[in-house]
Amino acid sequence: MRQIAQNQQVLVITHSPQIASLSDYRYLIEKQVLDNRTKTVINKLNLDDSIEAIAKMIAGDSVTNPALENAKELLGLTQ
């Protein structure tokens, strides 16, 4: 994917925190049901939101401090 992305735009949808952490830009794609209709919402994530989203991929809905630290490590934010 990295080699392809050097010359072309690549869009990847993943549940893998390792893959998500490698991207230049991250978006959260969610389905919402309102009035019996399903709607897809896409939001671009800033750095703090990216850390939280990757931590949720690691730990599930109950984000723990170790999951947050692991997310930061995957994003290259720790030494």
Side-chain angles (χ1 to χ4, degrees):
M1 280 193 291
R2 186 178 303 245
Q3 192 174 31
I4 294 168
Q6 289 177 355
N7 299 313
Q8 300 177 49
Q9 182 177 11
V10 177
L11 175 66
V12 176
I13 298 174
T14 184
H15 289 92
S16 167
Q18 293 85 356
I19 298 297
S21 68
L22 297 174
S23 65
D24 293 328
Y25 302 97
R26 287 169 209 86
Y27 296 83
L28 181 64
I29 302 171
E30 297 178 292
K31 288 192 286 184
Q32 298 176 349
V33 178
L34 301 168
D35 298 326
N36 241 6
R37 298 190 69 165
T38 302
K39 174 178 156 180
T40 303
V41 178
I42 302 172
N43 290 304
K44 186 174 181 182
L45 302 178
N46 62 29
L47 182 57
D48 289 338
D49 293 336
S50 292
I51 293 167
E52 183 80 16
I54 291 171
K56 282 184 179 181
M57 289 178 172
I58 295 167
D61 288 333
S62 299
V63 174
T64 61
N65 283 332
L68 288 169
E69 290 305 313
N70 195 287
K72 291 176 187 175
E73 185 176 336
L74 286 172
L75 290 167
L77 301 175
T78 60
Q79 297 177 5

